[in-house]
Structures are given as structure tokens and as C-alpha cells.
Amino acid sequence: MITYTVSQLNARIRAQLESDYRDIWVEGEISNLSRPASGHLYFTLKDDAAQVACALFKGNSYRLSLPARELANGLAVRVHGRATLYEPRGNYQLVLDQIEAAGIGALEAELKRRRDMLAAEGCFDAARKRPIPPAPRQIGIITSASGAAIHDALTTLRRRNPLVGVIIYPSLVQGEQAPAQLIRQIETANRRGECDTLLLIRGGGSLEDLWAYNDPNLIRAIAASAIPIISGVGHETDVTLADLAADLRAPTPTAAAAHSCPDLGSSFQHLARLKEQLHGATRRRLQNAQQRQQTLAHRLHQQNPQRQIRTAQQRADQLGERLHAAAHRRWQREQTRLSALMQHLHHLSPLNVLQRGYALAYNAEGKTLARSDAVQPGDKISVRLASGRLYCTVNRRSKN
């Protein structure tokens, strides 16, 4: 009888699998789909009775009939590849090189049926959804008491708002008993009325792992809750019917906690900004009021009757002085002009000529004589000298 080591056994089984099943097609439904940063894809292919692990390495993902980005949990597919054994762990798996769509999987079909039924009942209507309280006093969390989700949520709540109270309503989050416990805790929270907001959260998982959150009775309980519910089930790519029925859907448990209460740190910063804005506005308003008071005081001073009278008197004095100065200048100009005219008249005066030895002769009627033939011998004439007058009788006359 041959005795094998574990390594020998796994090597022989691997060789046998790869020899007998090196070119096979298998049909089933995708579950537990994983997309690590390496670019490889890992998932479980299952039917109603069994499942097998599958690996699609990055190099083969570009040649698929069904694009790798369209692969999703619940999708029915036909895969091609070879069977092998991962020797270090003894896990049997299929290494794939081709994937084709084979229709909607059973879970996806059931999920669609439930979604349509509950939508017809109005469970997803936006009009019935309640607003999330902006400043809750107490928050209830419905989840597993020992999972990572509760740890993440509590950490986020303590960091954002340590003043808010928290009540944990523990429940199963997976398996056949989970929906009934989740419903019971929603009803308990509503009956006690202790909380302003409820968080319905759990970590990520496959479509099967999250199936409890697609239970129709749970969806109806969420829609009927008087307390607003924020759902944070799975990861961002996981969307359950509970997410559609909740008053607010958050992509993760951490995000659900963040949406449930205000961030006091941000609030304090906001208050500080408001305080500074208020101080600035008050300072500007005071400055404007002071400036306006000064303007009004100046205008009042300018419009004071006594000031206006004094200004008018000063103006009258200035005008009087200007009038006096103008009259004096005019008098001086006229005096100068009169002197000039008198000087000119003096130069033109016949009397002035007489001073140089000339004389003026007048006939008996007192008319000036300019010609000798204007008189006859024997006529009486008078002669005007520079000083005095002569009365004469014409003896004879001559033209020279």
C-alpha cells in the first residue's frame, strides 16, 4: 500500500484534474465577486446544490465575450477554462479564459420580482420619506453588536459629535433569522421613542450575505417606521432593497454615521467664521453711522442761520469794499481823463494864443473879425489882448 505525503497527494490530484478537465464549459451564477487591485477577478460559481471557486487572471480579462466590468453578483454565466488544484491549500478551482452571459441568475430574478412588488406598494416612494433631523439628541444603531460596522459607526460618531447619545439595538445581520430580528428591533425603537434617527448598517458581502436586507417584510417595516432611517449596508457598490426604502442611503456604515449628526468641529469653525463676520459687520455699521453723524453735523453747521447771517455779512462787507475800491478807481480814471481834456482844451484855447502876443478883434456886434474887409474905416472895434481890451476906430484897412 502506497503512503503519500500531503504535497504528493495534492500534486497527483492536480495533475489528474488538469488532464481530465483541461477544456470544459460550466454554467452557474456568480457570487462573492472580488476585484483586487492586481486586476485579477475571483468569484464563486454556484447553482442550487453546489459551488466552485473561479479565478480569472488579468491577462485573460481583455478577451472576454462579456466585458469584465459587467460581471456582477447574481449574474448567470457560462465560463470556459480548466480545473486545477491550489496545492498549498488543497483548494479546487477553475482557472478561466472565457465568460459568456447566460441570463439572469435565480437570486437576481427574485430580487427583481421583490423590487417590482414593493415599488407597487409605494415602499420606495420619495414623497413618503422623512427628513433626517439635523441635530439629533440620540441615535439608534441596528446591527451586529460585534461586527466591524458598529465599531466604525461608533468611532465616527465620537469623532464628529461626542455629545449625541447612542443606543445599540443588536441583531443578526445574515442568515434566515436575521430579517425577523431586524424587524423586531425597528419596532422596538419606534415603540420606545428614544431616538431621533436610526442607523441600519452592516459590512460588505456577497448578494447572499446581504440577502436579509432584501426581505419584503423588513422593507415594509422600514417604510412604516416613524423614526427616520439611514441605511449603510455593505460597500458603495452594494445596493439592497433596504437602501431603496430608507429615508437616506449611505454607501458605507461610516458614511451613515457621518450623515446622522453634525460635525461639531466644523460647526465650531462655522460659528467662529460667523462671529468674525458679525464683528466685521458691526464694526462697518458703526463706522458708517459715525461717518454719517459727522456728515450730518457738518451739514447742520453749514446750514446754521447765525453762520449764514455771518457769511452774508462778510459777503456784504467784501462787496462793499470791492464797490468802494471800484468807485475810487473809476474816480481816479475820470480825474485823469478830465485833466487830460482840460490840458487839451487849454492848448486849443484862443486865450492861450493871446499869451504869445496875439490879439482878437471884434466888430460892434461882438463878432470875431477874421478879415480886414469885414469893417469900414470909421467903424468901432474892440481888441482883446492877453490882459485887457482896447476900443478902437478904424482909420484905414489893408489886405496885407
Side-chain angles (χ1 to χ4, degrees), residues 44-133:
T44 300
L45 192 66
K46 67 182 187 65
D47 57 20
D48 294 339
Q51 64 183 27
V52 60
C54 297
L56 177 71
F57 297 119
K58 183 177 180 180
N60 291 326
S61 63
Y62 302 108
R63 298 190 294 269
L64 300 181
S65 300
L66 179 65
R69 66 178 180 276
E70 296 183 11
L71 298 180
N73 289 326
L75 185 65
V77 294
R78 292 178 66 245
V79 301
H80 180 271
R82 57 184 175 84
T84 186
L85 186 76
Y86 183 58
E87 293 184 39
R89 294 184 181 177
N91 293 336
Y92 146 64
Q93 64 179 359
L94 298 180
V95 177
L96 308 179
D97 55 33
Q98 187 56 269
I99 301 177
E100 298 176 353
I104 300 176
L107 283 181
E108 281 291 329
E110 176 60 16
L111 182 62
K112 182 179 183 305
R113 185 191 69 80
R114 293 183 180 185
R115 183 187 300 117
D116 294 342
M117 175 185 68
L118 294 167
E121 295 178 14
C123 293
F124 308 140
D125 289 351
R128 66 141 197 89
K129 295 192 176 185
R130 297 147 296 241
I132 305 302

Coordinates of all heavy atoms in Angstrom, one line a residue, residues 44-133:
T44 N -17.2 33.0 -6.9 CA -17.8 31.7 -6.7 C -18.8 31.5 -7.8 O -19.7 32.3 -8.0 CB -18.4 31.5 -5.4 OG1 -17.4 31.7 -4.4 CG2 -18.9 30.1 -5.2
L45 N -18.8 30.3 -8.5 CA -19.8 29.9 -9.5 C -20.7 28.9 -8.8 O -20.1 27.9 -8.3 CB -19.2 29.4 -10.7 CG -20.1 29.2 -11.9 CD1 -20.6 30.6 -12.4 CD2 -19.4 28.5 -13.1
K46 N -22.0 29.1 -8.7 CA -22.8 28.2 -7.9 C -24.1 27.9 -8.7 O -24.5 28.6 -9.6 CB -23.1 28.8 -6.6 CG -24.0 30.0 -6.6 CD -24.2 30.6 -5.2 CE -25.2 31.8 -5.2 NZ -26.5 31.3 -5.6
D47 N -24.8 26.8 -8.2 CA -26.1 26.5 -8.6 C -26.9 26.2 -7.3 O -26.4 26.6 -6.2 CB -26.2 25.4 -9.6 CG -25.6 24.1 -9.1 OD1 -25.4 23.9 -7.9 OD2 -25.2 23.2 -9.9
D48 N -28.0 25.6 -7.4 CA -28.9 25.4 -6.2 C -28.2 24.4 -5.2 O -28.6 24.4 -4.0 CB -30.2 24.8 -6.6 CG -31.0 25.8 -7.4 OD1 -30.7 27.0 -7.3 OD2 -31.9 25.4 -8.2
A49 N -27.3 23.6 -5.7 CA -26.8 22.5 -4.8 C -25.3 22.6 -4.5 O -24.8 21.9 -3.6 CB -27.1 21.1 -5.4
A50 N -24.5 23.3 -5.3 CA -23.1 23.2 -5.2 C -22.4 24.5 -5.7 O -23.1 25.4 -6.3 CB -22.5 22.0 -5.9
Q51 N -21.1 24.7 -5.4 CA -20.4 25.8 -5.8 C -18.9 25.5 -6.1 O -18.4 24.5 -5.6 CB -20.5 26.9 -4.8 CG -19.8 26.6 -3.5 CD -20.0 27.7 -2.4 OE1 -20.9 28.5 -2.5 NE2 -19.1 27.8 -1.5
V52 N -18.2 26.3 -6.9 CA -16.8 26.1 -7.2 C -16.2 27.4 -7.3 O -16.7 28.4 -7.8 CB -16.7 25.3 -8.5 CG1 -17.3 26.0 -9.7 CG2 -15.2 25.0 -8.8
A53 N -14.9 27.5 -6.8 CA -14.2 28.8 -6.9 C -13.6 29.0 -8.3 O -13.2 28.0 -8.9 CB -13.0 28.8 -5.9
C54 N -13.6 30.2 -8.7 CA -13.1 30.6 -10.1 C -12.1 31.7 -10.0 O -12.3 32.6 -9.1 CB -14.3 31.0 -11.0 SG -15.5 29.7 -11.3
A55 N -11.1 31.7 -10.9 CA -10.1 32.7 -11.0 C -10.0 33.1 -12.4 O -9.8 32.3 -13.3 CB -8.8 32.3 -10.4
L56 N -10.1 34.5 -12.7 CA -9.8 35.0 -14.0 C -8.7 36.0 -13.9 O -8.8 37.0 -13.3 CB -11.1 35.7 -14.5 CG -10.9 36.4 -15.9 CD1 -10.8 35.4 -17.0 CD2 -12.1 37.4 -16.2
F57 N -7.5 35.6 -14.5 CA -6.3 36.4 -14.3 C -6.4 37.6 -15.3 O -7.1 37.5 -16.3 CB -5.1 35.6 -14.5 CG -4.9 34.5 -13.4 CD1 -4.9 33.2 -13.8 CD2 -4.9 34.9 -12.1 CE1 -4.8 32.2 -12.8 CE2 -4.8 33.9 -11.1 CZ -4.7 32.5 -11.5
K58 N -5.7 38.6 -14.9 CA -5.8 39.9 -15.7 C -5.5 39.7 -17.2 O -6.2 40.4 -18.0 CB -4.8 40.9 -15.0 CG -4.9 42.3 -15.7 CD -3.9 43.2 -14.9 CE -4.0 44.6 -15.5 NZ -3.0 45.6 -14.8
G59 N -4.6 38.9 -17.5 CA -4.2 38.8 -18.9 C -5.4 38.2 -19.8 O -5.4 38.5 -21.0
N60 N -6.3 37.4 -19.2 CA -7.4 36.9 -19.9 C -8.6 37.7 -19.9 O -9.6 37.5 -20.7 CB -7.8 35.5 -19.4 CG -6.7 34.4 -19.6 OD1 -6.0 34.5 -20.7 ND2 -6.5 33.5 -18.7
S61 N -8.6 38.8 -19.1 CA -9.9 39.6 -18.9 C -10.1 40.4 -20.1 O -11.3 40.9 -20.3 CB -9.7 40.5 -17.7 OG -8.7 41.4 -17.8
Y62 N -9.1 40.7 -21.0 CA -9.3 41.6 -22.1 C -10.0 40.8 -23.3 O -10.4 41.4 -24.3 CB -8.0 42.2 -22.6 CG -7.3 43.0 -21.5 CD1 -6.2 42.5 -20.9 CD2 -7.8 44.2 -21.1 CE1 -5.6 43.2 -19.8 CE2 -7.2 44.9 -20.1 CZ -6.1 44.4 -19.5 OH -5.5 45.1 -18.5
R63 N -10.0 39.5 -23.3 CA -10.5 38.7 -24.4 C -11.9 38.1 -24.1 O -12.4 37.2 -24.9 CB -9.5 37.5 -24.7 CG -8.2 38.0 -25.1 CD -7.3 36.9 -25.6 NE -7.0 35.9 -24.6 CZ -5.9 36.0 -23.8 NH1 -5.1 37.0 -23.9 NH2 -5.7 35.1 -22.9
L64 N -12.6 38.6 -23.1 CA -13.9 38.0 -22.8 C -15.0 38.5 -23.7 O -15.0 39.6 -24.2 CB -14.3 38.4 -21.3 CG -13.3 38.0 -20.2 CD1 -13.8 38.5 -18.9 CD2 -13.1 36.5 -20.2
S65 N -16.0 37.6 -24.0 CA -17.2 37.9 -24.7 C -18.0 38.9 -23.9 O -18.6 39.8 -24.4 CB -18.0 36.7 -25.1 OG -17.2 35.8 -25.9
L66 N -18.1 38.7 -22.6 CA -18.8 39.5 -21.7 C -17.7 40.4 -21.0 O -16.9 39.9 -20.3 CB -19.6 38.7 -20.6 CG -20.3 39.5 -19.6 CD1 -21.4 40.3 -20.2 CD2 -20.9 38.5 -18.5
P67 N -17.7 41.7 -21.2 CA -16.7 42.6 -20.5 C -16.6 42.4 -19.0 O -17.6 42.2 -18.4 CB -17.2 44.0 -20.9 CG -18.0 43.8 -22.1 CD -18.7 42.5 -22.0
A68 N -15.4 42.4 -18.5 CA -15.2 42.1 -17.1 C -15.9 43.2 -16.2 O -16.4 42.8 -15.1 CB -13.7 42.1 -16.8
R69 N -16.0 44.4 -16.7 CA -16.7 45.4 -15.9 C -18.2 45.1 -15.7 O -18.8 45.7 -14.8 CB -16.5 46.8 -16.6 CG -17.2 46.9 -17.9 CD -17.0 48.3 -18.5 NE -17.7 48.5 -19.8 CZ -17.2 48.1 -21.0 NH1 -15.9 47.6 -21.0 NH2 -17.8 48.3 -22.1
E70 N -18.8 44.3 -16.6 CA -20.2 44.0 -16.5 C -20.5 42.8 -15.6 O -21.7 42.5 -15.3 CB -20.8 43.7 -17.9 CG -20.7 45.0 -18.8 CD -21.4 44.7 -20.1 OE1 -22.1 43.7 -20.2 OE2 -21.2 45.6 -21.0
L71 N -19.5 42.1 -15.1 CA -19.7 41.0 -14.2 C -20.2 41.5 -12.9 O -19.8 42.5 -12.3 CB -18.4 40.2 -14.0 CG -17.7 39.6 -15.2 CD1 -16.4 38.9 -14.8 CD2 -18.7 38.6 -15.9
A72 N -21.2 40.8 -12.3 CA -21.8 41.2 -11.0 C -22.4 40.0 -10.3 O -22.7 39.0 -10.9 CB -22.9 42.2 -11.3
N73 N -22.5 40.1 -9.0 CA -23.1 39.0 -8.2 C -24.5 38.8 -8.7 O -25.3 39.7 -9.0 CB -23.1 39.4 -6.8 CG -21.7 39.4 -6.2 OD1 -20.9 38.5 -6.5 ND2 -21.5 40.3 -5.2
G74 N -24.9 37.5 -8.8 CA -26.3 37.2 -9.2 C -26.4 37.0 -10.7 O -27.5 36.5 -11.2
L75 N -25.3 37.3 -11.5 CA -25.4 37.1 -13.0 C -25.2 35.7 -13.3 O -24.2 35.1 -12.9 CB -24.4 38.0 -13.6 CG -24.4 38.1 -15.1 CD1 -25.6 38.8 -15.6 CD2 -23.2 38.9 -15.6
A76 N -26.0 35.1 -14.2 CA -25.9 33.8 -14.7 C -24.9 33.8 -15.9 O -25.1 34.6 -16.8 CB -27.2 33.2 -15.1
V77 N -23.9 32.9 -15.9 CA -22.9 33.0 -16.9 C -22.5 31.5 -17.3 O -22.7 30.6 -16.6 CB -21.6 33.7 -16.4 CG1 -21.9 35.2 -16.2 CG2 -21.0 33.1 -15.1
R78 N -21.8 31.4 -18.5 CA -21.1 30.2 -18.9 C -19.7 30.5 -19.0 O -19.3 31.5 -19.5 CB -21.6 29.8 -20.3 CG -23.0 29.3 -20.4 CD -23.5 28.9 -21.8 NE -22.7 27.7 -22.3 CZ -21.9 27.8 -23.3 NH1 -21.6 28.9 -23.9 NH2 -21.2 26.7 -23.7
V79 N -18.9 29.7 -18.3 CA -17.4 30.0 -18.2 C -16.7 28.8 -18.8 O -17.1 27.7 -18.8 CB -17.0 30.2 -16.8 CG1 -17.7 31.4 -16.1 CG2 -17.2 29.0 -15.9
H80 N -15.5 29.2 -19.4 CA -14.6 28.2 -20.0 C -13.3 28.3 -19.4 O -12.8 29.4 -19.0 CB -14.5 28.4 -21.5 CG -13.6 27.5 -22.2 ND1 -12.2 27.6 -22.3 CD2 -13.9 26.2 -22.8 CE1 -11.7 26.6 -23.0 NE2 -12.7 25.7 -23.2
G81 N -12.6 27.1 -19.2 CA -11.3 27.1 -18.6 C -10.9 25.7 -18.3 O -11.4 24.7 -18.9
R82 N -10.0 25.6 -17.3 CA -9.5 24.3 -16.9 C -9.7 24.1 -15.3 O -9.6 25.1 -14.6 CB -8.1 24.1 -17.3 CG -7.2 25.2 -16.7 CD -5.7 25.1 -17.3 NE -4.9 26.1 -16.8 CZ -4.2 26.2 -15.7 NH1 -4.4 25.2 -14.8 NH2 -3.5 27.3 -15.4
A83 N -9.8 22.9 -14.9 CA -9.9 22.6 -13.5 C -8.5 22.4 -12.9 O -7.6 21.9 -13.6 CB -10.7 21.4 -13.2
T84 N -8.2 22.9 -11.7 CA -6.9 22.8 -11.2 C -7.0 22.7 -9.6 O -8.1 22.9 -9.1 CB -5.9 23.9 -11.6 OG1 -4.6 23.6 -11.1 CG2 -6.4 25.2 -11.1
L85 N -5.9 22.5 -9.0 CA -5.9 22.5 -7.5 C -4.8 23.4 -7.0 O -3.7 23.4 -7.5 CB -5.6 21.1 -7.0 CG -5.7 20.9 -5.5 CD1 -7.1 20.8 -5.1 CD2 -4.9 19.6 -5.1
Y86 N -5.2 24.3 -6.1 CA -4.2 25.2 -5.5 C -3.5 24.4 -4.4 O -4.1 24.2 -3.3 CB -4.9 26.4 -5.0 CG -4.0 27.5 -4.4 CD1 -2.9 28.0 -5.1 CD2 -4.1 27.9 -3.0 CE1 -2.1 28.9 -4.6 CE2 -3.3 28.8 -2.5 CZ -2.2 29.3 -3.2 OH -1.4 30.2 -2.7
E87 N -2.4 23.9 -4.7 CA -1.7 22.9 -3.8 C -1.5 23.3 -2.4 O -1.7 22.6 -1.4 CB -0.4 22.4 -4.4 CG -0.6 21.6 -5.7 CD 0.7 21.1 -6.3 OE1 1.5 20.7 -5.5 OE2 0.9 21.1 -7.5
P88 N -1.0 24.6 -2.1 CA -0.7 25.0 -0.7 C -1.9 24.8 0.2 O -1.8 24.6 1.4 CB -0.3 26.4 -0.9 CG 0.3 26.5 -2.2 CD -0.6 25.6 -3.1
R89 N -3.1 25.0 -0.4 CA -4.3 24.9 0.5 C -5.2 23.7 0.2 O -6.2 23.5 0.9 CB -5.2 26.2 0.3 CG -4.5 27.4 0.9 CD -5.4 28.6 0.8 NE -4.8 29.8 1.3 CZ -5.3 31.0 1.3 NH1 -6.6 31.1 0.8 NH2 -4.7 32.1 1.7
G90 N -4.9 23.1 -0.9 CA -5.7 22.0 -1.3 C -7.1 22.4 -1.9 O -8.1 21.6 -1.8
N91 N -7.2 23.6 -2.3 CA -8.5 24.1 -2.8 C -8.6 23.8 -4.3 O -7.7 24.2 -5.1 CB -8.6 25.6 -2.6 CG -8.7 26.0 -1.1 OD1 -9.1 25.1 -0.3 ND2 -8.3 27.2 -0.8
Y92 N -9.7 23.3 -4.7 CA -10.0 23.0 -6.1 C -10.7 24.3 -6.7 O -11.6 24.9 -6.1 CB -10.9 21.8 -6.1 CG -12.0 21.7 -7.2 CD1 -11.7 21.7 -8.6 CD2 -13.4 21.7 -6.9 CE1 -12.6 21.6 -9.5 CE2 -14.3 21.6 -7.8 CZ -14.0 21.6 -9.2 OH -15.0 21.5 -10.1
Q93 N -10.3 24.6 -7.9 CA -10.9 25.8 -8.5 C -10.8 25.7 -10.0 O -10.1 24.8 -10.6 CB -10.1 27.1 -8.1 CG -8.6 27.1 -8.5 CD -7.9 28.4 -8.1 OE1 -8.5 29.3 -7.5 NE2 -6.6 28.5 -8.4
L94 N -11.5 26.6 -10.7 CA -11.5 26.7 -12.2 C -10.7 28.0 -12.5 O -10.9 29.1 -12.0 CB -12.9 26.9 -12.8 CG -13.8 25.7 -12.5 CD1 -15.2 26.0 -13.2 CD2 -13.3 24.4 -13.1
V95 N -9.7 27.8 -13.4 CA -8.9 28.9 -14.0 C -9.5 29.2 -15.3 O -9.5 28.4 -16.2 CB -7.4 28.6 -14.1 CG1 -6.7 29.8 -14.7 CG2 -6.9 28.3 -12.7
L96 N -10.1 30.5 -15.5 CA -10.9 30.8 -16.7 C -10.2 31.5 -17.7 O -9.3 32.3 -17.4 CB -12.2 31.6 -16.2 CG -13.0 31.0 -15.1 CD1 -14.1 31.9 -14.7 CD2 -13.5 29.6 -15.4
D97 N -10.7 31.3 -19.0 CA -10.1 32.2 -20.1 C -11.3 32.8 -20.9 O -11.0 33.5 -21.8 CB -9.2 31.4 -21.0 CG -9.8 30.1 -21.5 OD1 -11.1 30.1 -21.7 OD2 -9.1 29.1 -21.7
Q98 N -12.5 32.4 -20.5 CA -13.7 33.0 -21.3 C -14.9 33.0 -20.4 O -15.1 32.1 -19.6 CB -14.0 32.2 -22.6 CG -15.0 32.8 -23.5 CD -14.7 34.2 -23.9 OE1 -15.1 35.2 -23.2 NE2 -13.9 34.4 -25.0
I99 N -15.7 34.0 -20.5 CA -17.0 34.1 -19.8 C -18.1 34.7 -20.8 O -17.8 35.6 -21.5 CB -16.9 35.1 -18.6 CG1 -15.8 34.6 -17.6 CG2 -18.2 35.2 -17.9 CD1 -15.6 35.5 -16.4
E100 N -19.2 34.0 -20.7 CA -20.4 34.4 -21.6 C -21.6 34.6 -20.7 O -21.7 33.9 -19.7 CB -20.7 33.4 -22.7 CG -19.6 33.2 -23.7 CD -19.9 32.1 -24.7 OE1 -21.0 31.5 -24.5 OE2 -19.1 31.9 -25.6
A101 N -22.5 35.6 -21.0 CA -23.7 35.7 -20.3 C -24.6 34.6 -20.6 O -24.7 34.1 -21.7 CB -24.3 37.1 -20.7
A102 N -25.4 34.1 -19.5 CA -26.3 33.0 -19.7 C -27.7 33.4 -19.2 O -28.5 32.6 -18.9 CB -25.8 31.8 -19.0
G103 N -27.9 34.7 -18.9 CA -29.2 35.2 -18.4 C -29.1 35.6 -17.0 O -28.1 35.7 -16.4
I104 N -30.3 36.0 -16.4 CA -30.3 36.5 -15.0 C -30.3 35.3 -14.1 O -31.1 34.3 -14.3 CB -31.6 37.3 -14.8 CG1 -31.6 38.5 -15.8 CG2 -31.7 37.8 -13.4 CD1 -32.8 39.4 -15.7
G105 N -29.5 35.4 -13.0 CA -29.5 34.3 -12.0 C -30.7 34.2 -11.2 O -31.6 35.2 -11.2
A106 N -30.9 33.2 -10.5 CA -32.1 33.0 -9.7 C -32.3 34.1 -8.6 O -33.4 34.6 -8.5 CB -32.0 31.6 -9.0
L107 N -31.2 34.4 -7.9 CA -31.3 35.5 -6.9 C -31.6 36.8 -7.5 O -32.4 37.6 -7.0 CB -30.0 35.6 -6.1 CG -29.8 34.5 -5.0 CD1 -28.5 34.7 -4.3 CD2 -30.9 34.4 -4.0
E108 N -31.0 37.1 -8.7 CA -31.3 38.4 -9.3 C -32.7 38.4 -9.8 O -33.4 39.5 -9.7 CB -30.3 38.5 -10.5 CG -28.9 39.0 -10.2 CD -28.9 40.4 -9.6 OE1 -29.8 41.2 -10.1 OE2 -28.1 40.7 -8.8
A109 N -33.2 37.3 -10.3 CA -34.6 37.3 -10.8 C -35.6 37.5 -9.6 O -36.6 38.2 -9.7 CB -34.9 35.9 -11.5
E110 N -35.3 36.8 -8.4 CA -36.1 37.0 -7.2 C -36.0 38.4 -6.7 O -37.0 39.0 -6.3 CB -35.7 36.0 -6.2 CG -36.4 36.2 -4.8 CD -37.9 36.0 -4.9 OE1 -38.4 35.4 -6.0 OE2 -38.6 36.4 -4.0
L111 N -34.8 39.0 -6.8 CA -34.6 40.4 -6.3 C -35.4 41.4 -7.2 O -36.1 42.3 -6.6 CB -33.1 40.8 -6.4 CG -32.8 42.2 -5.9 CD1 -33.1 42.3 -4.4 CD2 -31.3 42.5 -6.1
K112 N -35.5 41.1 -8.5 CA -36.2 42.0 -9.4 C -37.7 41.8 -9.1 O -38.5 42.8 -9.1 CB -36.0 41.6 -10.8 CG -36.7 42.5 -11.8 CD -36.3 42.2 -13.2 CE -37.0 43.1 -14.2 NZ -38.5 43.2 -14.1
R113 N -38.2 40.6 -8.8 CA -39.6 40.4 -8.5 C -40.0 41.1 -7.2 O -41.0 41.8 -7.2 CB -39.9 38.9 -8.3 CG -41.3 38.6 -8.1 CD -41.5 37.1 -7.7 NE -41.0 36.9 -6.4 CZ -41.7 37.2 -5.3 NH1 -42.9 37.8 -5.3 NH2 -41.2 37.0 -4.1
R114 N -39.1 41.0 -6.2 CA -39.4 41.7 -4.9 C -39.4 43.3 -5.1 O -40.2 44.0 -4.6 CB -38.4 41.3 -3.9 CG -38.5 39.9 -3.5 CD -37.5 39.5 -2.3 NE -37.6 38.1 -1.9 CZ -37.0 37.6 -0.9 NH1 -36.2 38.4 -0.2 NH2 -37.1 36.3 -0.6
R115 N -38.4 43.7 -5.9 CA -38.3 45.2 -6.1 C -39.6 45.7 -6.8 O -40.2 46.7 -6.4 CB -37.1 45.5 -7.0 CG -36.9 47.0 -7.2 CD -35.8 47.3 -8.2 NE -34.5 46.8 -7.8 CZ -33.9 45.9 -8.4 NH1 -34.4 45.3 -9.5 NH2 -32.7 45.4 -8.0
D116 N -40.1 45.0 -7.8 CA -41.3 45.4 -8.5 C -42.5 45.4 -7.6 O -43.3 46.3 -7.6 CB -41.5 44.6 -9.8 CG -40.4 44.7 -10.8 OD1 -39.7 45.8 -10.8 OD2 -40.3 43.9 -11.7
M117 N -42.6 44.3 -6.8 CA -43.7 44.2 -5.9 C -43.8 45.3 -4.8 O -44.8 46.0 -4.6 CB -43.7 42.8 -5.2 CG -44.7 42.6 -4.1 SD -44.5 41.0 -3.2 CE -43.0 41.4 -2.3
L118 N -42.6 45.6 -4.2 CA -42.6 46.6 -3.2 C -42.7 48.0 -3.7 O -43.2 48.9 -3.1 CB -41.2 46.4 -2.4 CG -41.1 45.1 -1.6 CD1 -39.7 44.9 -1.1 CD2 -42.1 45.1 -0.4
A119 N -42.2 48.2 -5.0 CA -42.4 49.5 -5.6 C -43.9 49.8 -5.8 O -44.3 50.9 -5.7 CB -41.6 49.6 -6.9
A120 N -44.6 48.7 -6.3 CA -46.0 48.9 -6.5 C -46.8 49.2 -5.2 O -47.8 49.9 -5.2 CB -46.6 47.6 -7.1
E121 N -46.2 48.8 -4.0 CA -46.8 49.1 -2.7 C -46.5 50.5 -2.2 O -47.0 50.9 -1.2 CB -46.3 48.1 -1.7 CG -46.8 46.6 -2.0 CD -46.3 45.6 -0.9 OE1 -45.8 46.1 0.1 OE2 -46.4 44.4 -1.2
G122 N -45.5 51.2 -2.9 CA -45.1 52.5 -2.6 C -44.0 52.6 -1.5 O -43.8 53.7 -1.0
C123 N -43.3 51.4 -1.3 CA -42.3 51.4 -0.3 C -41.1 52.3 -0.6 O -40.3 52.7 0.3 CB -41.8 50.0 0.0 SG -43.1 48.9 0.7
F124 N -40.9 52.5 -1.9 CA -39.7 53.3 -2.4 C -40.1 54.8 -2.7 O -39.2 55.5 -3.2 CB -39.0 52.6 -3.5 CG -38.7 51.2 -3.3 CD1 -38.9 50.2 -4.3 CD2 -38.3 50.7 -2.1 CE1 -38.6 48.9 -4.1 CE2 -38.0 49.4 -1.9 CZ -38.2 48.5 -2.9
D125 N -41.3 55.2 -2.6 CA -41.8 56.5 -3.0 C -41.0 57.6 -2.2 O -40.9 57.6 -1.0 CB -43.3 56.7 -2.7 CG -44.1 55.9 -3.7 OD1 -43.5 55.3 -4.6 OD2 -45.3 55.8 -3.5
A126 N -40.4 58.5 -3.0 CA -39.7 59.6 -2.4 C -40.6 60.5 -1.5 O -40.1 61.1 -0.5 CB -39.0 60.5 -3.5
A127 N -41.9 60.6 -1.9 CA -42.8 61.5 -1.2 C -43.0 61.1 0.3 O -43.3 62.0 1.1 CB -44.1 61.6 -1.9
R128 N -42.9 59.8 0.6 CA -43.2 59.4 1.9 C -41.9 59.4 2.8 O -42.0 59.2 4.0 CB -43.7 57.9 1.9 CG -42.8 56.9 1.5 CD -42.8 55.6 2.2 NE -41.6 54.8 2.0 CZ -40.5 54.9 2.7 NH1 -40.5 55.8 3.7 NH2 -39.5 54.2 2.4
K129 N -40.8 59.7 2.2 CA -39.5 59.6 3.0 C -39.4 60.9 3.9 O -39.8 62.0 3.6 CB -38.3 59.6 2.1 CG -38.3 58.2 1.3 CD -37.0 58.0 0.6 CE -37.0 56.6 -0.1 NZ -35.7 56.3 -0.7
R130 N -38.9 60.6 5.1 CA -38.8 61.6 6.2 C -37.5 62.3 6.1 O -36.5 61.7 5.8 CB -39.1 61.0 7.5 CG -40.4 60.4 7.7 CD -40.4 59.2 8.6 NE -39.6 58.1 8.0 CZ -40.0 56.9 7.7 NH1 -41.3 56.6 8.0 NH2 -39.2 56.0 7.2
P131 N -37.4 63.6 6.4 CA -36.1 64.3 6.5 C -35.3 63.8 7.7 O -35.9 63.5 8.7 CB -36.5 65.8 6.7 CG -37.9 65.8 7.3 CD -38.6 64.5 6.7
I132 N -34.0 63.8 7.6 CA -33.1 63.4 8.7 C -33.0 64.6 9.6 O -32.6 65.7 9.2 CB -31.8 63.0 8.1 CG1 -32.0 61.9 7.0 CG2 -30.9 62.5 9.2 CD1 -32.7 60.6 7.5
P133 N -33.2 64.4 10.9 CA -33.0 65.5 11.9 C -31.6 66.1 11.8 O -30.7 65.3 11.9 CB -33.3 64.9 13.2 CG -34.2 63.7 12.9 CD -33.7 63.2 11.6

